[in-house]
Amino acid sequence: MTKACNPAFSRKALAAITAINFSALPVCAGEVEVLHWWTSGGEAKAAQSLKASLQLKGHSWKDFAVAGGGGDSAMTVLKSRVVSGNAPAAAQIKGPSLQDWAREGVLANIDDVAKAGHWDDLLPKVVSDQMKFKGSYIAVPVNVHRVNWLWINPQAFKRAGAKAPSNWDEFFVAAEALKKAGLIPVAHGGQNWQDLTLFEDVALGVGGSDFYRQALVQLDQAALNSATMEKVLGTFKRVKAYTDKNSPGRDWNLASAMVIKGEAGMQFMGDWAKGEFIAAGKAPGKDFICTPSPGSAKAFTYNIDSFAMFKLKNETNSLAQKDLAATIMGPEFQETFSLNKGSIPVRVGVKMDKFDECAKQSSSDFGSSAKAGTLLPSIAHGMAVPSAVEGAIKDAISQFWNSDRMSAREAMQQIATAARTK
Ligand code: BGC
């Protein structure tokens, strides 16, 4: 039951009056509607930990889950809700899109929460910059996912006599061995965001970090129209022969399940896939192996989940919304959430002792790649370019992946044109 309360008399003020019996006082219990797309096994467990943390503060959680990996469906639903003047309190929005939404004037300023929580000191600058619009926080970061991972079933590899690949030549040797052993070499979900996830891994592994940055972050036309790009596209398309005929339309978590069950040998996916392995009771190093996607060990493509906070009219709900933001940046939540989600904490200084080897490697590679200049935003996960450009490139990549006729050269021209989308 929501008790009547004076929003100005906030939890903070209550905390100051230590002599009073807390539970007897009317606490400002608000409701926070949260839009997200965390519906798979591992994702749902992680989302549940966020809901529980909010409820612990006395607020209620209104779930607004829109299924669909990568979040394209969620973004479409969000647009129609905001246009009709009915925005949720918080929505999972990432990367440059945060700026687009802020420019619309619909996001709330949460500088007071950020200041009280010392966010500027606790976040890498590359992250805090993205959470701010005109110098003010409008979003809270949740975690850091690494995209350039390859997930391997070691039993399947053993059966095929295959070795975990560290470059693309080795990848094709392993894929061939798995195929000969009667296994599906690559579990792929043929949805455009998964095609682009694989493509960016190939671009990084075949072209290298500088090429990745020039072509997929800076959208440099010379890099997009280069011999390297043609080679990347050729390599990307070669992978298709190692996927199964049921891959079109498959959800990413079903592809993970194929690796978990040993029907398939490997999957290219960010480390939210680890959340699926863990939720299925599998242990890293034993039941599954995480290794950087071929040729990308020294680089790190990042994908930072974040929640943008929308302007609300109801003052109590707005206080609850701020409590949600503060909770997300809390060290306990940062740990629990990432343990379930497969990611690493975004807040610096969170202890990694409860995390597994994959997460520890991710954490150390995040730091070393930042120093080496090989920390790169994932284009497939909304980190690198405006969403309209990403959408156009994504369509061109999938068209090439699905076509029997389109040459790498034709695809290259289409992608270069897509990169000019305004
Ligand atoms: C999100 C992850 C999510 C994944 C699959 C990514 O874009 O950042 O949080 O688990 O999509 O839905």
Side-chain angles (χ1 to χ4, degrees), residues 51-67:
K51 178 179 172 181
S53 306
L54 181 78
Q55 286 172 334
L56 217 61
K57 295 207 169 178
H59 303 301
S60 57
W61 165 282
K62 189 171 176 198
D63 200 43
F64 184 5
V66 180

Side-chain angles (χ1 to χ4, degrees), residues 242-303:
Y242 299 100
T243 62
D244 66 316
K245 65 172 190 343
N246 294 327
S247 95
R250 176 187 287 137
D251 287 333
W252 68 272
N253 53 319
L254 300 182
S256 303
M258 290 165 69
V259 180
I260 292 173
K261 287 189 221 136
E263 292 165 12
M266 41 188 166
Q267 181 188 19
F268 291 93
M269 193 47 64
D271 43 20
W272 48 93
K274 196 184 74 186
E276 295 306 295
F277 284 92
I278 301 292
K282 302 295 176 189
K286 182 174 153 273
D287 305 313
F288 69 93
I289 286 169
C290 56
T291 186
S293 56
S296 77
K298 295 217 158 28
F300 190 117
T301 39
Y302 66 83
N303 170 24

Side-chain angles (χ1 to χ4, degrees), residues 37-38 43 68-71 92 94 145 193 252 272 303 305 341 381:
W37 62 89
W38 292 329
E43 290 178 332
Q92 193 184 345
K94 305 187 296 179
H145 274 302
W193 70 273
W252 68 272
W272 48 93
N303 170 24
D305 283 315
K341 190 70 172 49
H381 293 277

Side-chain angles (χ1 to χ4, degrees), residues 308-383:
M309 299 298 166
F310 280 82
K311 282 182 183 160
L312 299 176
K313 292 200 186 83
N314 179 310
E315 220 177 317
T316 317
N317 289 349
S318 157
L319 277 174
Q321 175 193 51
K322 289 186 175 176
D323 265 352
L324 177 77
T327 304
I328 289 175
M329 272 293 286
E332 303 83 19
F333 172 79
Q334 286 277 316
E335 181 186 71
T336 315
F337 184 86
S338 273
L339 283 172
N340 287 312
K341 190 70 172 49
S343 47
I344 55 171
V346 66
R347 176 186 166 128
V348 297
V350 176
K351 281 216 192 82
M352 293 300 290
D353 18 339
K354 289 202 190 133
F355 286 86
D356 59 34
E357 290 311 311
C358 303
K360 283 183 181 141
Q361 186 182 345
S362 183
S363 176
S364 105
D365 290 354
F366 183 83
S368 54
S369 61
K371 281 199 194 99
T374 55
L375 180 63
L376 300 157
S378 161
I379 183 168
H381 293 277
M383 294 288 118

Side-chain angles (χ1 to χ4, degrees), residues 178-227:
L178 288 158
K179 198 173 184 174
K180 286 216 175 80
L183 294 158
I184 298 164
V186 178
H188 182 68
Q191 297 175 346
N192 64 2
W193 70 273
Q194 296 186 67
D195 299 342
L196 188 58
T197 300
L198 169 62
F199 176 79
E200 73 174 39
D201 281 345
V202 181
L204 182 61
V206 171
S209 298
D210 289 345
F211 169 77
Y212 181 101
R213 185 178 301 99
Q214 285 155 12
L216 302 180
V217 183
Q218 294 164 352
L219 303 173
D220 174 62
Q221 284 289 321
L224 287 165
N225 283 297
S226 63

